[in-house]
Amino acid sequence: MKNFVEELRWRGMIHDITPGTEEELKKGPMSAYVGIDPTGDSLHIGHLVSIMILKHFQACGNKPYALVGGATGMIGDPSMKSAERNLLDEETLAHNVSCIKAQLGRFLDFESDAPNKAELVNNYDWMKDYTFINFTRDIGKLITVNYMMSKDSVKKRLSRDSSEGMSFTEFTYQLLQGYDFLYLYEHNNVKLQLGGADQWGNITTGTELIRRTNGGEAFALTCPLITKADGGKFGKTEKGNIWLDADRTSPYQFYQFWLNVSDADAEKYIKIFTMLDRETIEAAIAEHSQDPGQRRLQKLLAKEVTIMVHGEKEYENALKASQMLFGKATAEDLRSLDEKTFLAVFEGVPTVEIERAKLPMPILDAVAVETSIFPSKGEARKMIQGNGFSINKEKFTDPNGQLTENDIIDGKYILAQKGKKDYYIINIK
């Protein structure tokens, strides 16, 4: 069985680790958990690092717990946040938890009868009946305000020049997260908490609670916060987060995100976001360095992550869609795209309109009179006769031909192409 800590170390996935963690893991299978804040009904790729750590943890023979914070999600973690978060109602949280549970099933084995199958827990289950008086008496007395104030997540918020300050609600978040660790330690024998580097303060509050209540020893391991080589924020585009939910970020857009990362980022990300072994990754990096223009590393990265998140079929569709602009795709490929992917592929392409009632229409009228795809019928005729014009990725060679309803795809679009690179979307109204 692989050494879990060594596996993370060569992949660059360890930021902090408490002393004795590696030695404890060598004694035999352990249980560990990662906490996920259900502030939305989909995870995004910022969550992927923690999920990949859990995936490696399970692959190394250990038992992973994914904790969805139904209770803590009602408060909001102040770590790395500049302002108080909006509080979510119970119904919204229940919906978010259900969606996240389904997404986690793509990465972790929850269903087998293996002794290390993953478990999903919700801290709302043990917090909902815990009264404020009992919590402050049982837990609040164990951790001093001085200790809580020393945490970076608290100090950074309080040091900012802000009239808002920090509410008592958010200040107590680390006690709630610490209690999660204590609860899982006592009820599920969970001795290790995993998370991002920004969670170190919250996690070590949990280890301290365990020490003070049980005299027990618990451990912490965090991974670095992922950055881009150019200093930009990982996982963000002009349109916002890259989501794991296909309805929010299509598999094509998801694939394109990974395909378009820089060489330096691809070399880092392929270690973090795939399960490929060291030998395969090092060979891929070496091959890529021989001819970076082929972007082999990015293609391998995009393939592995897309299949892991969306499956083989969606990867194949994303691959077809990504070839659409470069002349390699067929009319059949084009018609197989759903509307969302079609619009994503041809984002920014000029759009013109033709009324449905006017079809069928002579092609020269369609491209040079009704629309301005060509400046004149003469120029349109010349390009069509010269084999330089296509409708829906098929050559259109008859200048006396017509545009008909049969040419419409997705119920309202026709794709026109003149030359190799000039595309137009004809929107049929």
Short mmCIF file of all heavy atoms in Angstrom, two decimals, residues 317-341:
data_model
loop_
_atom_site.label_atom_id
_atom_site.label_comp_id
_atom_site.label_asym_id
_atom_site.label_seq_id
_atom_site.Cartn_x
_atom_site.Cartn_y
_atom_site.Cartn_z
N ASN A 317 -17.31 14.29 -26.11
CA ASN A 317 -18.09 15.40 -26.67
C ASN A 317 -17.34 16.73 -26.57
O ASN A 317 -17.36 17.54 -27.50
CB ASN A 317 -19.43 15.53 -25.94
CG ASN A 317 -20.38 14.38 -26.24
OD1 ASN A 317 -20.22 13.69 -27.25
ND2 ASN A 317 -21.35 14.15 -25.37
N ALA A 318 -16.65 16.92 -25.45
CA ALA A 318 -15.87 18.15 -25.28
C ALA A 318 -14.73 18.21 -26.27
O ALA A 318 -14.39 19.28 -26.79
CB ALA A 318 -15.34 18.24 -23.85
N LEU A 319 -14.13 17.05 -26.52
CA LEU A 319 -13.03 16.98 -27.49
C LEU A 319 -13.53 17.32 -28.89
O LEU A 319 -12.90 18.09 -29.62
CB LEU A 319 -12.42 15.57 -27.46
CG LEU A 319 -11.09 15.37 -28.16
CD1 LEU A 319 -10.00 16.25 -27.55
CD2 LEU A 319 -10.67 13.90 -28.10
N LYS A 320 -14.68 16.77 -29.26
CA LYS A 320 -15.27 17.09 -30.57
C LYS A 320 -15.57 18.59 -30.66
O LYS A 320 -15.30 19.23 -31.68
CB LYS A 320 -16.57 16.32 -30.77
CG LYS A 320 -16.41 14.84 -31.05
CD LYS A 320 -17.78 14.20 -31.20
CE LYS A 320 -17.70 12.69 -31.30
NZ LYS A 320 -19.04 12.08 -31.32
N ALA A 321 -16.15 19.11 -29.60
CA ALA A 321 -16.53 20.53 -29.60
C ALA A 321 -15.29 21.42 -29.70
O ALA A 321 -15.30 22.44 -30.39
CB ALA A 321 -17.31 20.87 -28.33
N SER A 322 -14.20 21.02 -29.04
CA SER A 322 -12.99 21.85 -29.06
C SER A 322 -12.34 21.87 -30.43
O SER A 322 -11.57 22.77 -30.76
CB SER A 322 -11.99 21.36 -28.01
OG SER A 322 -11.46 20.11 -28.37
N GLN A 323 -12.66 20.87 -31.26
CA GLN A 323 -12.11 20.81 -32.62
C GLN A 323 -12.99 21.58 -33.61
O GLN A 323 -12.61 21.75 -34.77
CB GLN A 323 -11.98 19.35 -33.07
CG GLN A 323 -10.97 18.57 -32.24
CD GLN A 323 -11.00 17.07 -32.52
OE1 GLN A 323 -11.99 16.54 -33.04
NE2 GLN A 323 -9.94 16.39 -32.17
N MET A 324 -14.11 22.06 -33.14
CA MET A 324 -15.11 22.65 -34.02
C MET A 324 -14.58 23.88 -34.76
O MET A 324 -14.88 24.09 -35.93
CB MET A 324 -16.34 23.03 -33.18
CG MET A 324 -17.62 23.15 -33.96
SD MET A 324 -18.16 21.60 -34.71
CE MET A 324 -18.57 20.60 -33.29
N LEU A 325 -13.80 24.70 -34.11
CA LEU A 325 -13.33 25.95 -34.72
C LEU A 325 -12.16 25.76 -35.66
O LEU A 325 -11.77 26.68 -36.35
CB LEU A 325 -12.93 26.94 -33.62
CG LEU A 325 -14.07 27.48 -32.75
CD1 LEU A 325 -13.51 28.30 -31.61
CD2 LEU A 325 -15.03 28.33 -33.57
N PHE A 326 -11.60 24.55 -35.67
CA PHE A 326 -10.37 24.37 -36.44
C PHE A 326 -10.54 23.43 -37.64
O PHE A 326 -9.59 22.84 -38.13
CB PHE A 326 -9.25 23.87 -35.52
CG PHE A 326 -9.03 24.79 -34.35
CD1 PHE A 326 -9.52 24.48 -33.09
CD2 PHE A 326 -8.37 25.99 -34.52
CE1 PHE A 326 -9.34 25.35 -32.02
CE2 PHE A 326 -8.18 26.87 -33.46
CZ PHE A 326 -8.67 26.54 -32.22
N GLY A 327 -11.78 23.28 -38.06
CA GLY A 327 -12.02 22.59 -39.32
C GLY A 327 -11.96 21.09 -39.25
O GLY A 327 -12.12 20.42 -40.27
N LYS A 328 -11.74 20.50 -38.08
CA LYS A 328 -11.61 19.05 -38.01
C LYS A 328 -12.93 18.36 -37.73
O LYS A 328 -13.06 17.15 -37.90
CB LYS A 328 -10.62 18.67 -36.90
CG LYS A 328 -9.21 19.20 -37.13
CD LYS A 328 -8.33 18.87 -35.93
CE LYS A 328 -6.93 19.47 -36.12
NZ LYS A 328 -6.08 19.25 -34.93
N ALA A 329 -13.92 19.11 -37.29
CA ALA A 329 -15.19 18.51 -36.90
C ALA A 329 -16.10 18.33 -38.12
O ALA A 329 -15.96 19.01 -39.14
CB ALA A 329 -15.87 19.38 -35.86
N THR A 330 -17.05 17.41 -38.00
CA THR A 330 -17.99 17.11 -39.08
C THR A 330 -19.34 17.75 -38.79
O THR A 330 -19.60 18.23 -37.69
CB THR A 330 -18.18 15.59 -39.21
OG1 THR A 330 -18.81 15.11 -38.00
CG2 THR A 330 -16.86 14.88 -39.41
N ALA A 331 -20.21 17.72 -39.80
CA ALA A 331 -21.57 18.22 -39.62
C ALA A 331 -22.29 17.42 -38.55
O ALA A 331 -23.07 17.97 -37.75
CB ALA A 331 -22.33 18.14 -40.95
N GLU A 332 -22.01 16.13 -38.51
CA GLU A 332 -22.62 15.26 -37.49
C GLU A 332 -22.17 15.68 -36.09
O GLU A 332 -22.97 15.72 -35.15
CB GLU A 332 -22.24 13.81 -37.75
CG GLU A 332 -22.92 12.82 -36.82
CD GLU A 332 -22.52 11.39 -37.11
OE1 GLU A 332 -21.84 11.13 -38.13
OE2 GLU A 332 -22.85 10.51 -36.28
N ASP A 333 -20.88 16.00 -35.97
CA ASP A 333 -20.37 16.47 -34.67
C ASP A 333 -21.08 17.75 -34.25
O ASP A 333 -21.45 17.92 -33.09
CB ASP A 333 -18.86 16.74 -34.76
CG ASP A 333 -18.04 15.48 -34.93
OD1 ASP A 333 -18.52 14.40 -34.55
OD2 ASP A 333 -16.91 15.57 -35.45
N LEU A 334 -21.25 18.66 -35.20
CA LEU A 334 -21.89 19.93 -34.91
C LEU A 334 -23.32 19.72 -34.43
O LEU A 334 -23.75 20.31 -33.43
CB LEU A 334 -21.89 20.83 -36.15
CG LEU A 334 -22.55 22.20 -35.99
CD1 LEU A 334 -21.75 23.08 -35.03
CD2 LEU A 334 -22.70 22.89 -37.34
N ARG A 335 -24.05 18.86 -35.11
CA ARG A 335 -25.46 18.63 -34.76
C ARG A 335 -25.61 17.87 -33.44
O ARG A 335 -26.67 17.88 -32.82
CB ARG A 335 -26.17 17.88 -35.88
CG ARG A 335 -26.39 18.75 -37.12
CD ARG A 335 -27.19 18.03 -38.19
NE ARG A 335 -27.43 18.89 -39.36
CZ ARG A 335 -28.43 19.74 -39.46
NH1 ARG A 335 -29.30 19.87 -38.48
NH2 ARG A 335 -28.57 20.47 -40.55
N SER A 336 -24.54 17.22 -33.01
CA SER A 336 -24.61 16.47 -31.75
C SER A 336 -24.44 17.37 -30.52
O SER A 336 -24.69 16.96 -29.41
CB SER A 336 -23.53 15.38 -31.72
OG SER A 336 -22.24 15.94 -31.57
N LEU A 337 -24.02 18.64 -30.75
CA LEU A 337 -23.82 19.55 -29.62
C LEU A 337 -25.16 20.01 -29.07
O LEU A 337 -26.08 20.33 -29.82
CB LEU A 337 -23.04 20.80 -30.06
CG LEU A 337 -21.62 20.61 -30.62
CD1 LEU A 337 -21.02 21.98 -30.94
CD2 LEU A 337 -20.74 19.87 -29.64
N ASP A 338 -25.28 20.06 -27.75
CA ASP A 338 -26.46 20.68 -27.17
C ASP A 338 -26.32 22.20 -27.31
O ASP A 338 -25.23 22.71 -27.59
CB ASP A 338 -26.61 20.30 -25.70
CG ASP A 338 -25.41 20.70 -24.87
OD1 ASP A 338 -25.36 21.85 -24.42
OD2 ASP A 338 -24.49 19.87 -24.69
N GLU A 339 -27.42 22.90 -27.13
CA GLU A 339 -27.44 24.35 -27.38
C GLU A 339 -26.41 25.09 -26.53
O GLU A 339 -25.70 25.98 -27.01
CB GLU A 339 -28.83 24.92 -27.12
CG GLU A 339 -28.90 26.42 -27.39
CD GLU A 339 -30.29 26.99 -27.15
OE1 GLU A 339 -31.20 26.22 -26.78
OE2 GLU A 339 -30.46 28.22 -27.31
N LYS A 340 -26.30 24.71 -25.25
CA LYS A 340 -25.37 25.40 -24.35
C LYS A 340 -23.92 25.26 -24.82
O LYS A 340 -23.16 26.23 -24.85
CB LYS A 340 -25.52 24.84 -22.93
CG LYS A 340 -24.72 25.60 -21.89
CD LYS A 340 -25.02 25.09 -20.49
CE LYS A 340 -24.23 25.90 -19.47
NZ LYS A 340 -24.50 25.43 -18.09
N THR A 341 -23.57 24.04 -25.26
CA THR A 341 -22.20 23.81 -25.74
C THR A 341 -21.98 24.52 -27.07
O THR A 341 -20.92 25.12 -27.29
CB THR A 341 -21.93 22.31 -25.89
OG1 THR A 341 -22.17 21.66 -24.64
CG2 THR A 341 -20.48 22.05 -26.30
#
